[in-house]
Amino acid sequence: MTPRIPALAVAGALLIGLVGASPAVAADDEPTPTTTVNGYRNVGYYGQWRATGEAQATLERLFVDTAAAENLTHLNYSFGNIAGDQAALDAGRSAGVKGLDGVAPHTCFISDTPAPGPGQTDTAGDADSDFVHAFTAADSVLGIGDTKKQKLAGNFNQLRQLKRLYPDLKVNVSLGGWSWSKSFSKAVATPELRSTLVESCIDLYIRGDLPVIGGRGGPGAAAGIFDGFDLDWEWPGAPDWAQEIGNSVDPVNDKANFLAFVKEFRAQLDAVEAETGDDYELSAFLPAGPTQIAAGGWNSPELFEYLDYANLQGYDLWGSWTAETGHQGNVYGDPAHNWGLGLDTVVNSYVSAGVDPAQLNLGLAAYGQGWRDAEPQPWTLSGGGLTQITWDQLKERDLEIHHEYTADGDFNATWGYDPATREFWSFDDELAVAEKTAWAIGKGLGGVDFWEVGNDVAGDLSTASAEVLRAAAPGPVAGAPALLCAQTPDAAATPWNAQTTYRGGELVFLDGRVFEAQWYAKGDVPGASTRGPWSTLTACGLDPDTVQAWFADRIYLKGDQVVHEGVTYTAQWWTRDQQPGAKNGPWTR
């Protein structure tokens, strides 16, 4: 499967006007409280295939070896697929595709077989990356290698481990993408189909009812991992030039059916919230082109009554599908190039239609569009386009970096040139990310998002955006800052890892607590035993000297205080795993 990066062709009239020229209309419903960086979202998409491919951009490398987990508020796991019709399912079963047992046409599913080619995605899946692949201890978030008897392995188990370190990180599954949007149109064509589709997605990803493949999976195997959904239908109602090969499209009804689908999704998620007490988010990936926007009704304020937020396509505004070099994500549209398309016109397409800018995130690119046999200048003819490369690959090149500014001194775009190879590249570097993030804040947007964090293993770009978000005035997004255990006052702790040897006095964090090693420890899970080497020092975010709840595994000394069932107790002598309030115990009121 290939990443979602379509060639954006733009047809129609020039988009003009200043962002914010008309007042925004807030959604009727209160947004779902979410994790924020200073009142902003910092969202990263993650391609599931990145963990097991050649580059090995595992979740461990991305979120444990770097500071990315402290800088991102959301992780959009990409992608989930929607099944084709009955004939396609029958053909897949006959061909030996696993994961299709009991799968109804046009519902969410996970199979073990990739698509044989573009447009042949009716039964395509990546179960190996999702929940089958066995990660070694060295590649595991918590340093715990997967075993043959586990019902859940793969990325899903790594996400579960990641949330033990960062419980406030919102992990949503993104449905569709450029390659897997084939069946959306047919799947949402009637109320009955919409209801069945949403129910299947919730069963699969929220309730965690996985198919059984390779001895993994089963009912509830992935429960509690995902916090919601990101809808990435590319593109409802749009013409053939804006579609992947083979996509089903209904130009007449897709717009209305898409709105009804989002409304149904929100209603069913609300019902699950009432059942579980948890909050579930619903977002979408938004197109930049005026044709796609109009065809799908993407800028309808009514749509945003059911979405918590959405991620704007802020890249691929120009690309290697044309022989002329240019900017794939310029801030300001120039009527002389690319029909005047820029981030300003893209944002204006939504805000001027009445969408609250706080519900929008600005898309940023962690990859480059390139051209060969090119001149060191944008908007000039080249010898043709190059295959896109990642930010990690770009920063290893010996490029002459240029930051383009307007006549008024405002940042517009970054591009790089390699004089040895005569290659021209358009991309976002740290400066571009910082400038665009500041620009988005100035327009009242709710944050930024990246395609795709696996292209930025060191987290350079998400760090650059987070630094700007933290330094800005508090943002417009309803939600609390992420609880970061490493930032607990007077308790400098590191993520716990089963493969690390710890000595007495060393601090780690896990499951929202900071633990102190009392003696040698390796492989002992903090909090798992009241007799082991780990003693809870403090709940994350609180100074260890704060009077807190009683922890069974903590070693208390004479004079230590705790709060238990609303009563403050003081230890009379050394105690561990002796509940306050017991008769003749070590605690006194």
Side-chain angles (χ1 to χ4, degrees):
M1 183 181 127
T2 56
R4 176 249 305 125
I5 303 178
L8 174 64
V10 181
L14 169 67
L15 290 175
I16 58 175
L18 296 175
V19 174
S22 62
V25 177
D28 290 341
D29 296 332
E30 288 296 321
T32 301
T34 190
T35 302
T36 71
V37 172
N38 190 30
Y40 300 95
R41 305 178 205 91
N42 204 30
V43 180
Y45 283 85
Y46 175 68
Q48 69 220 106
W49 59 92
R50 298 306 305 276
T52 55
E54 293 182 6
Q56 285 281 300
T58 62
L59 291 167
E60 185 272 335
R61 287 190 67 196
L62 289 172
F63 293 101
V64 177
D65 293 348
T66 75
E70 297 182 10
N71 293 322
L72 290 176
T73 60
H74 297 70
L75 183 64
N76 284 353
Y77 185 81
S78 310
F79 291 102
N81 199 5
I82 296 172
D85 58 21
Q86 189 63 55
L89 288 168
D90 290 343
R93 294 183 185 108
S94 297
V97 177
K98 295 181 175 60
L100 302 181
D101 293 346
V103 173
H106 308 314
T107 61
C108 278
F109 75 105
I110 298 175
S111 81
D112 71 335
T113 303
Q120 303 176 54
T121 59
D122 302 82
T123 61
D126 192 1
D128 185 62
S129 294
D130 289 344
F131 67 92
V132 176
H133 177 80
F135 283 98
T136 65
D139 291 331
S140 171
V141 168
L142 295 181
I144 303 173
D146 293 326
T147 66
K148 292 182 178 180
K149 294 183 179 181
Q150 283 179 217
K151 294 300 182 183
L152 189 74
N155 288 331
F156 286 6
N157 188 47
Q158 294 304 300
L159 288 170
R160 176 170 284 170
Q161 291 187 18
L162 181 62
K163 294 189 78 169
R164 294 189 68 183
L165 295 177
Y166 300 96
D168 292 336
L169 177 69
K170 297 296 183 183
V171 179
N172 299 323
V173 61
S174 188
L175 301 178
W178 180 247
S179 297
W180 284 359
S181 288
K182 178 178 182 177
S183 298
F184 264 115
S185 182
K186 293 180 179 178
V188 302
T190 69
E192 293 76 18
L193 285 170
R194 292 191 289 269
S195 177
T196 299
L197 171 60
V198 173
E199 184 178 5
S200 71
C201 297
I202 289 174
D203 285 346
L204 184 63
Y205 293 108
I206 301 299
R207 302 190 192 281
D209 295 339
L210 302 178
V212 176
I213 299 176
R216 314 278 198 202
I225 295 172
F226 293 103
D227 298 295
F229 295 86
D230 178 66
L231 306 179
D232 195 350
W233 178 358
E234 304 184 17
W235 301 108
D240 289 344
W241 57 258
Q243 302 286 347
E244 171 65 293
I245 298 169
N247 280 8
S248 62
V249 183
D250 183 347
V252 175
N253 298 303
D254 273 354
K255 180 190 295 187
N257 289 340
F258 176 51
L259 175 61
F261 168 55
V262 176
K263 183 177 182 179
E264 175 68 24
F265 223 131
R266 184 67 265 168
Q268 289 202 34
L269 286 176
D270 287 347
V272 180
E273 287 181 355
E275 172 189 328
T276 65
D278 295 323
D279 291 321
Y280 298 104
E281 298 187 344
L282 186 62
S283 65
F285 176 68
L286 304 178
T291 300
Q292 295 95 316
I293 293 171
W298 290 94
N299 59 353
S300 165
E302 185 180 0
L303 180 68
F304 283 81
E305 294 178 14
Y306 311 111
L307 294 175
D308 292 297
Y309 62 93
N311 301 303
L312 288 165
Q313 183 180 10
Y315 36 81
D316 292 348
L317 307 187
W318 192 256
S320 54
W321 53 86
T322 180
E324 188 178 33
T325 63
H327 301 314
Q328 70 152 322
N330 48 293
V331 176
Y332 300 101
D334 181 352
H337 304 291
N338 194 21
W339 296 275
L341 195 63
L343 300 184
D344 56 349
T345 63
V346 173
V347 172
N348 187 61
S349 298
Y350 292 88
V351 176
S352 64
V355 176
D356 182 355
Q359 288 185 274
L360 301 174
N361 300 329
L362 182 66
L364 303 170
Y367 64 93
Q369 296 275 5
W371 292 264
R372 66 179 182 275
D373 298 325
E375 299 298 323
Q377 188 69 30
W379 311 115
T380 57
L381 286 176
S382 72
L386 294 165
T387 301
Q388 298 163 8
I389 62 175
T390 69
W391 163 248
D392 287 334
Q393 292 169 321
L394 281 165
K395 68 182 184 180
E396 294 300 319
R397 299 287 188 97
D398 188 21
L399 295 177
E400 298 174 352
I401 305 298
H402 298 264
H403 299 118
E404 181 177 295
Y405 290 82
T406 68
D408 294 329
D410 297 321
F411 176 82
N412 187 50
T414 292
W415 57 277
Y417 187 73
D418 187 338
T421 61
R422 299 193 68 240
E423 292 179 357
F424 180 100
W425 292 95
S426 173
F427 54 91
D428 288 334
D429 62 355
E430 294 103 318
L431 186 144
V433 166
E435 292 279 8
K436 289 182 178 181
T437 301
W439 181 85
I441 292 170
K443 298 303 178 184
L445 270 60
V448 299
D449 66 273
F450 293 90
W451 180 266
E452 174 267 335
V453 293
N455 294 335
D456 177 22
V457 173
D460 302 329
L461 304 182
S462 59
T463 298
S465 60
E467 288 176 350
V468 174
L469 297 175
R470 289 190 176 100
V477 179
L483 180 64
L484 301 176
C485 294
Q487 297 178 8
T488 295
D490 298 323
T494 60
W496 175 78
N497 188 282
Q499 301 305 306
T500 301
T501 298
Y502 299 96
R503 307 294 179 183
E506 293 191 84
L507 305 180
V508 300
F509 62 84
L510 186 72
D511 298 328
R513 286 190 268 169
V514 174
F515 298 85
E516 182 179 16
Q518 302 303 299
W519 53 83
Y520 172 96
K522 184 175 182 180
D524 304 274
V525 181
S529 170
T530 58
R531 298 183 179 181
W534 294 105
S535 170
T536 296
L537 177 66
T538 179
C540 291
L542 296 178
D543 189 290
D545 291 333
T546 304
V547 177
Q548 301 177 41
W550 171 76
F551 298 106
D553 70 324
R554 178 167 176 172
I555 295 174
Y556 295 96
L557 304 178
K558 181 179 180 180
D560 287 343
Q561 291 186 310
V562 300
V563 175
H564 185 62
E565 297 181 347
V567 177
T568 300
Y569 293 87
T570 302
Q572 299 180 85
W573 54 79
W574 186 102
T575 177
R576 189 181 199 187
D577 195 24
Q578 291 177 284
Q579 185 172 323
K583 188 176 182 180
N584 299 323
W587 297 98
T588 182
R589 298 175 66 166

